[in-house]
Amino acid sequence: MELRHLRYFVTVATELHYARAARRLFISQPGLSQQIRSLEGELGLKLFERNRRGVRLTPQGAAFLSEAAAVVQQADRALEVARALAEAATGQLRLSYARTMFTGLPDLIVSEYQRRFPGVEITADSGTTGSNVDRLRSGEVDIAFVLTPLEDAGDLRWVDVSREPIVVALPSGHPLSRHRRIRRDQVAGLPLVYFPRHQSPGYHDRCVAQVYGSAKPNIVRTEPADERMLVAVAEGTGITLVLAARAATLRHPGVVYRRFRDPEPTGSLGIGFRPNPSLAARRFVDLAQELAQQPKAATRPHGRPRQS
């Protein structure tokens, strides 16, 4: 007995019409009738009865149908799984990093993904959270690291994978630099250098709300990158707010970092993706969530893939 014989039987039993079943199976009606007779001979059972009204199952055929249908369904499921595995093992994943993001974990996620799925070609780029959201919506990228929450995400999805304290960057001679920890009310009213809101509006508003509450911060200058914000701080233009993990890799002469007293403001890194993502993209999200549960000591940088 072959799987195709069971598939033929299940299709005829579903349609109760040989001509319609033959069309569904893309074989001739005489050929289908011959295959059913062959199956009946092998089983020693009469599966169908024909009359002028059409075809109906015999009691033996009805009993056999549930078993045959289960076998066909399981075979189809196995085929789907095999195809899914092939899709995840090969293909392309278009990825965009966030220009201002935590170090370590993103690189670890990409490195581990390449180890598990070496047949997937990763093309990597980078952008602001705002530009990454636009590229996700347009279908230009499959996965993007973003600072969350996302404002007006629409049908886009995201999962948070890491959270970090937000620290204050001060000119080294600033009176607050003598404090080990800073109260949030101590920075109220101080001139602030910050990134333009459109680069990451949800994250921007959340950070400002955590530090300044309902008060409006005194933003005196905007800069597109953390490095430029630190230059402005060193020049004495004002203070700025930086993620602690980012601050650990950004050193600038004339700038010191200080943490806030509890409750500390925090910022979150997430992974954005479109609805109904490809299996390769879903595997990336699943892996990111898996690695995010590991101790931070495990999230050391492993290097980024070559960009193309």
Side-chain angles (χ1 to χ4, degrees):
M1 185 186 304
E2 297 181 21
L3 177 63
R4 63 189 176 92
H5 291 139
L6 296 181
R7 192 179 300 280
Y8 294 160
F9 165 66
V10 171
T11 305
V12 175
T14 302
E15 296 290 342
L16 291 178
H17 194 283
Y18 272 87
R20 288 197 300 266
R23 285 194 294 270
R24 278 183 55 186
L25 294 166
F26 299 101
I27 63 174
S28 68
Q29 183 175 337
L32 177 58
S33 297
Q34 182 180 354
Q35 294 295 332
I36 294 297
R37 286 194 297 270
S38 175
L39 177 61
E40 288 177 325
E42 185 171 354
L43 294 173
L45 296 173
K46 187 172 180 61
L47 300 172
F48 296 103
E49 290 181 351
R50 291 193 183 193
N51 54 40
R52 281 182 290 182
R53 294 183 179 180
V55 180
R56 68 183 181 89
L57 283 162
T58 64
Q60 294 89 344
F64 182 61
L65 176 60
S66 61
E67 301 299 328
V71 171
V72 172
Q73 185 178 26
Q74 184 60 38
D76 289 341
R77 173 59 182 160
L79 182 59
E80 289 176 5
V81 170
R83 286 173 175 166
L85 290 172
E87 180 187 345
T90 60
Q92 185 181 63
L93 184 72
R94 298 166 300 171
L95 164 73
S96 187
Y97 290 95
R99 289 177 185 162
T100 301
M101 67 179 188
F102 315 159
T103 59
L105 181 59
D107 294 328
L108 176 65
I109 294 169
V110 174
S111 177
E112 180 62 16
Y113 187 89
Q114 289 180 310
R115 188 188 70 80
R116 295 191 189 185
F117 306 106
V120 176
E121 177 189 0
I122 296 180
T123 56
D125 204 340
S126 64
T128 64
T129 292
S131 65
N132 282 348
V133 166
D134 290 340
R135 295 167 76 187
L136 281 170
R137 284 201 176 102
S138 68
E140 186 180 342
V141 298
D142 306 303
I143 290 289
F145 287 99
V146 290
L147 297 175
T148 66
L150 299 183
E151 183 180 74
D152 299 326
D155 60 351
L156 293 182
R157 308 285 188 266
W158 85 84
V159 295
D160 286 334
V161 294
S162 186
R163 178 167 295 206
E164 283 285 331
I166 295 169
V167 301
V168 185
L170 304 158
S172 56
H174 196 282
L176 290 179
S177 66
R178 296 193 293 269
H179 296 257
R180 183 171 175 269
R181 294 261 187 162
I182 295 174
R183 299 190 315 272
R184 284 174 291 181
D185 62 78
Q186 289 178 294
V187 302
L190 294 180
L192 175 67
V193 179
Y194 214 33
F195 62 87
R197 183 180 181 275
H198 68 82
Q199 290 187 183
S200 184
Y203 172 79
H204 179 286
D205 292 351
R206 185 174 185 274
C207 291
V208 167
Q210 289 182 87
V211 175
Y212 295 95
S214 59
K216 185 176 180 179
N218 180 24
I219 299 177
V220 296
R221 179 167 159 183
T222 59
E223 291 287 352
D226 290 340
E227 292 85 353
R228 296 300 310 165
M229 292 194 299
L230 294 182
V231 170
V233 171
E235 292 172 350
T237 304
I239 65 171
T240 195
L241 306 172
V242 184
L243 290 164
R246 183 76 167 135
T249 63
L250 282 179
R251 300 296 178 183
H252 193 280
V255 175
V256 296
Y257 299 105
R258 293 294 181 265
R259 292 180 68 166
F260 285 98
R261 291 185 180 180
D262 291 332
E264 287 187 282
T266 60
S268 297
L269 175 71
I271 295 176
F273 52 97
R274 296 191 304 278
N276 304 313
S278 67
L279 184 61
R282 293 200 305 271
R283 291 283 187 267
F284 190 93
V285 174
D286 291 344
L287 175 62
Q289 292 178 294
E290 173 191 330
L291 296 180
Q293 302 304 313
Q294 296 182 2
K296 284 193 175 183
T299 60
R300 294 187 298 271
H302 284 239
R304 296 185 179 179
R306 185 175 63 241
Q307 298 186 8
S308 58

